[in-house]
Amino acid sequence: MSSVSYHISSLLEKMTSTDKDFRFMATNDLMLELQKDSIKLDEDSERKVVNMLLRLLEDKNGEVQNLAVKCLAPLVSKVKEPQVEAMVDILCTNMTSDKEQLRDISSMGLKAVIAELPLSASGFSLTASVCKKITSQLIGAMGKQEDVSVQLEALDILSDMLGRLGGALVGFHSSLLSSLLPQLTSSRMAVRKRSILALGHLVPCCSPALFSQLTEHLLKELAKNPQTSLTRTYIQCLATVSRQGGHRVGEHLEKLIPMVVKFTSVEDDELREYCFQAFEAFIRRCPKEMSPHVATVTKLCLKFMTFDPNYNYDDTEEDEDSMDIEDGADEESDDEYSDDDDMSWKVRRSAIKCLEALISTRRDLLLSFYSSICPALLARFKEREENVRADVFAAFSTLLRQTRGGSSHHSLITAGSEPGTSREEEPAIALLKKQVPLIVKALHKQLKEKSLKSRQGCFCLLTELAYTVPGALDEHIPALIPGIVFSLTDKSTSSTMRIDALSFFHVILISHPPQAFQSHMQTLLPAVLTCIEDTFYKITSEALLVTQQLIKVMRPQGQTAASGGFDPKPFIKEVFSVTMKRLKATDIDQEVKERAISCMGHMVCHLGDHLGTELQGVLVIFLDRLKNEITRLTAVKTLTLISASPLKIDVTSILPEALSVLGSFLRKNQRALKLSTLACLTALVTHHAASIKPAALEPVLNEIPSLVDESDMHVSQVSITLLTCMAKACPSSLAKISSSVLPGVFKLIHSPLLQGGALLAILDFLQALVVSKATNLSYSQLLKSLMEPFQSSKSSADILHRQSYLSVARCVAALSSASPKETPGTVTNLIQQVKNSSSPESARVLSLLCLGEVGRNGSLGGSKEVQGVILEAFSSTNEEIKTAASCALGGMAVGSLNEFLPFMLKEISAQPRRQYLLLHSLKEVISACPASSLSPHVESIWALLFQHCESQEEGTRNLVAECLGKLTLVNPAQLLPRLKQQLKAGSPLARSTVVTAVKFTIVDHPAPIDSLLKDSIGDFLKTLQDSDINVRRVALVMFNSAAHNKPSLVQGLLGTILPHLYKETQIRKDLIREVEMGPFKHTVDDGLDVRKAAFECMYTLLDSCLEGLDVLQFLDHVEEGLKDHYDIRMLTFLMLARLVSLCPAAVLQRLDRLVEPLKATCTTKVKAGSVKQEFEKQEELRRSAMRAVAALLAVPEVERSPSMAEFANQIRSNADMASIFQSVQGGEGGGLGPTESMDMS
């Protein structure tokens, strides 16, 4: 410690030296010392250092002064409070000194100190006291009117301080406001501008009362009709306040808008610009509150976006063309003299930006924009001022993006009534299509202009258009091509321009049919090939991508080579030579290497028959690239492409070596490489089996056993698909797999994780094995291996999961369908096994399931004996066997409806005790049978189901509802109205069954029932007002399902449904009752399930119907939920996090009310003697609340709210909360945080 103080005192001594170099070096050393974290100073050294540095601020040498200022910032955190205050005092006094240099240096020092003041709770007292000191001094300095530069510095520092530490200055807010407002009338523009900035920083953290005071002041001053320059300042201030204060402006809009509208009529361009900037801020910050004023603002924008008094736009087109030729030179000289004082372009630009804000915040008005704004924007494409034109393009691109936003998001919903018909177009897309010819007409000339900015704007806009309406530019391609070629070949074009042109070209090549480009190949190709030879690698790589698409255009695959009569021959040579040059080069950028390989791969795949002798050379290079670690992945993909080419490219020369290299890739750790290699091998085996010797596949087969593993199902699936291809194409290669690969496959079949694609791949593989007789394993041996684990006594069978029973049953059925001769014997054995009561339970369950799956394929044979076996199994005492029998009966009935369905229906009526099991079988039949075969039986099933829809058992009712719902899908036109009838007739139980049935008619893909449902779902949702609480709960569940799977069904009804939905979120005292459990009293809330269902609906609506919600009203109910029961709080925390990312402005508006419940949850402690579950529950709640807090804190403006800033400090200073906060942010759920979603399907 003493050595440090000794070192520092020696530095201080040098600082008093007369030699400026000594002073400089000593100060520099001090700065380096202070930057070390370990340095500790005693009080005496602290004082000396501070005094010395403050003296050096007045040093004669500028460099020493600068270093002294740099030392102040690290000092703040190293010295105690009194020293910091002393430092600030002197700096503030210097601020008002007469010496300009000292003033500048001191203001730099103050800014440095402010930037270092601690934000955490521990250092908060220091921060607050320092801020008070600075503020009172600065307010004094601002009052000094005689020296403007002092005022400017003071305002600058205030802005910094309010921006960073607004919360600490709460006590000063009103005095700051009263000293800042007079500055708005200062004679100096710079002072006004900085006062506006300072006010902007004050707005987010001040109290609502102060905010109102500020707005009132601005309104009062504007009402006096001050001189124009003052009006400008006030309007500018309004815009800034609105941008910074966001939602708060909402309540004052009624008074503000007419005022700003009035000033747009004043003949002053800058004032008008500020007016539109204010409108833009209002629209972006409070889109909801602006609704009544949208029409007014739009009208003004449309009027002023064409405001160009000093220029006459010729409307006749022929003149325009001739003018381009003659007046080229004059035109520029024209502009020169007038444009310096012509400010009208600023008005146009701000009006257009205001329109863009409107388009981007109000998707709900999209259709009206197409009639009002779209034509006006199109007409402004001819704008003469380059910057304004760029904004016109940007606004139009926003319109396109908004149009696309709707169509891609729920692309499934607006499907046509028949699965075959194409999707009906969204109205906005249809309107846009009509505008396409006008857009192209307005743009295609601009693509040849000198101005780069315009061309870039055009390309961006056209790219958006191609994405929004793919194929729309089809007939306009000839008009656009000269523009593209011009940008690629023009000497003066910058490289970014070329890249933009190439990427736009790539987009239209992908989204339009090849025939559109074939006739233009002559002009297009040379331009693109020149770009491949460009020296800048980004241009080369974009050009290679485009060339790859052009190769597809020359000879599209899927049709015959002669289609369309286009002959690619004349172009092949040059494309080949240019690409080959890039393919051979090894000293180029990796992206270019990869794209050259891919481009040449497409060339071989599409035009390989024209390459003649060159082909072998190319293949050798590919083999070489396959061995290179950097390019191997691309080479594997390219080889896949070539081997699957319809041209049957001969790859025998490289096959043996390629196979061994590919085999080695299966050992690598890179998953993408493994998957691509397996795909490549599959293509090679499928298309080139004749040229592969069985021995060549050994290196591959040796690697496969380790890939077939439940840890990565997708890799397993692809590996098994490869084995299936081998079994079909070259069975001899699989002779030895019974010991190597098969044990792994069987292990996978017995895994609980097997399902979906991997299971289907295994079924194919087993069938291929039996059919190809590839191995020496017979049908019976395979069957034995499948069923072996289930035959043993208890111990090992207990480990088997339910899923593995189902998997094995499907495998047995697949084997038996591949060898029909063996099936009858297998069925007899299975029946024996079920009847034999001494065989283990697992074997009997499996045999039942196998019978069901074999029956599903329709190859059971006699049904009488089987029916007997099933009925016997129903009477078993063992639950597992009963369930298996019910599944089996369902499967058999699917296979032969006419034999089993009447039997099943008879049993359901006759056997009330087995009803549940039989209904399960019936559900299986209804789900799996095609509508055509079910329709004769619909009436009998329907009648039977309605006999049981009032069953007392909830489980039975739910099953009946699922059967009813799925049955309705068979013939919706007839059955949906019948369901509606039942709503009026039945008891509460029947109503709840019917409403649940409707839930099952809503499927997540387009179905014929959709249009009918849309018309009648309103009637079913009326049950939200049912008197019975259970009916209301199932109605909410059904509504949730609709909102999740098909939002279009309910979007139009939200106005009527939401009040009832919100009503169900409230706690009802009359549903809470006390139950005595021995000596304890326990409260039971019967309304909890309904509330939970209501909140789940609200969560779903956030994702699917956000546009239809009034977010502030929505937040009122979320706020109530934050104080509710554990389950509901968990849900509302999720909702809050979601809302923060979707509509931060609204959440900010309610922030102060939302912080309290979050704070309460995070700080609650569980009573000491509680059970373990209580602790876990509370811990989970706190983590969930903390996730919501973390999401809130991710929004920059949040910490400006005093209550939130205080809570954030509390979290940072409390070790327990801080650790939860850390883990939520970085740890397990970190990445998901705000948008973490809950599965509600």
Side-chain angles (χ1 to χ4, degrees), residues 1058 1061-1062 1095 1097-1099 1101-1102 1109-1119 1135 1139 1150:
L1058 285 174
L1061 169 64
Y1062 291 149
F1095 277 107
C1097 287
M1098 285 170 65
Y1099 185 86
L1101 288 174
L1102 276 186
L1109 299 176
D1110 174 352
V1111 179
L1112 294 176
Q1113 190 187 3
F1114 188 92
L1115 270 165
D1116 290 338
H1117 300 284
V1118 172
E1119 192 186 325
M1135 275 199 254
L1139 274 162
R1150 288 295 155 83

Side-chain angles (χ1 to χ4, degrees), residues 938-939 942 946 964-984 994-1002 1007-1020 1038 1049:
V938 166
E939 287 305 323
W942 187 266
F946 267 109
L964 276 173
K966 290 186 167 163
L967 193 60
T968 306
L969 291 171
V970 174
N971 183 353
Q974 205 180 342
L975 299 177
L976 200 62
R978 287 205 206 170
L979 272 182
K980 215 187 303 186
Q981 285 318 166
Q982 289 296 333
L983 272 184
K984 301 188 182 79
V994 169
V995 174
T996 310
V998 175
K999 182 183 104 174
F1000 287 104
T1001 62
I1002 302 167
I1009 192 172
D1010 294 351
S1011 53
L1012 297 164
L1013 259 180
K1014 192 162 188 172
D1015 299 335
S1016 56
I1017 196 157
D1019 299 324
F1020 290 112
M1038 184 265 285
L1049 292 176

Side-chain angles (χ1 to χ4, degrees), residues 3-17 21-34 36 39 41 48-49 52-53 56 71:
S3 70
V4 172
S5 27
Y6 173 71
H7 178 51
I8 287 195
S9 59
S10 73
L11 287 177
L12 291 174
E13 204 171 310
K14 286 181 188 158
M15 289 182 190
T16 55
S17 152
D21 293 345
F22 270 130
R23 297 202 301 275
F24 180 82
M25 290 313 296
T27 318
N28 197 33
D29 292 348
L30 179 67
M31 185 172 75
L32 296 174
E33 275 306 312
L34 289 174
K36 294 179 188 159
I39 184 171
L41 299 170
K48 281 181 184 161
V49 170
M52 191 69 225
L53 286 172
L56 288 179
C71 293

Side-chain angles (χ1 to χ4, degrees), residues 136 167 403 494 610 648 703 743 747 867 921 1008 1053 1073 1083 1238:
S136 47
T403 312
S494 67
H610 289 290
K648 308 249 180 304
E703 302 304 330
K747 191 174 165 212
Q867 287 176 3
S921 313
L1053 303 168
R1073 53 196 167 89
T1083 52
M1238 172 176 66

Side-chain angles (χ1 to χ4, degrees), residues 544-707:
L544 282 164
L545 256 191
V546 172
T547 310
Q548 183 175 311
Q549 283 301 326
L550 283 173
I551 290 171
K552 291 186 184 174
V553 168
M554 287 186 206
R555 188 197 278 172
Q557 270 174 4
Q559 306 122 340
T560 52
S563 82
F566 178 74
D567 177 20
K569 215 169 192 141
F571 307 106
I572 290 174
K573 198 166 167 207
E574 30 178 346
V575 177
F576 181 79
S577 62
V578 174
T579 315
M580 191 65 173
K581 189 169 144 197
R582 288 295 180 189
L583 181 66
K584 280 183 175 163
T586 46
D587 53 350
I588 45 174
D589 189 81
Q590 186 185 343
E591 191 178 284
V592 179
K593 275 186 195 170
E594 290 178 355
R595 287 185 173 172
I597 295 173
S598 174
C599 182
M600 187 54 96
H602 277 80
M603 181 115 196
V604 174
C605 170
H606 287 258
L607 306 161
D609 49 353
H610 289 290
L611 294 181
T613 50
E614 303 275 10
L615 182 62
Q616 289 314 314
V618 175
L619 292 176
V620 172
I621 295 182
F622 282 155
L623 185 59
D624 193 46
R625 298 287 176 268
L626 196 63
K627 296 175 186 165
N628 179 340
E629 187 175 339
I630 293 176
T631 51
R632 63 188 180 192
L633 184 58
T634 317
V636 171
K637 289 179 176 163
T638 304
L639 197 56
T640 316
L641 185 75
I642 294 173
S643 54
S645 162
L647 302 176
K648 308 249 180 304
I649 306 293
D650 175 20
V651 288
T652 36
S653 57
I654 59 164
L655 245 184
E657 201 173 347
L659 284 172
S660 71
V661 177
L662 289 169
S664 71
F665 288 167
L666 295 177
R667 236 170 305 162
K668 300 282 186 271
N669 216 352
Q670 193 186 349
R671 186 166 183 268
L673 182 66
K674 269 189 220 170
L675 286 169
S676 299
T677 304
L678 287 165
C680 181
L681 286 164
T682 309
L684 283 170
V685 171
T686 314
H687 297 280
H688 300 278
S691 1
I692 300 179
K693 301 186 179 63
L697 286 170
E698 287 213 345
V700 174
L701 279 169
N702 294 340
E703 302 304 330
I704 284 187
S706 61
L707 297 181

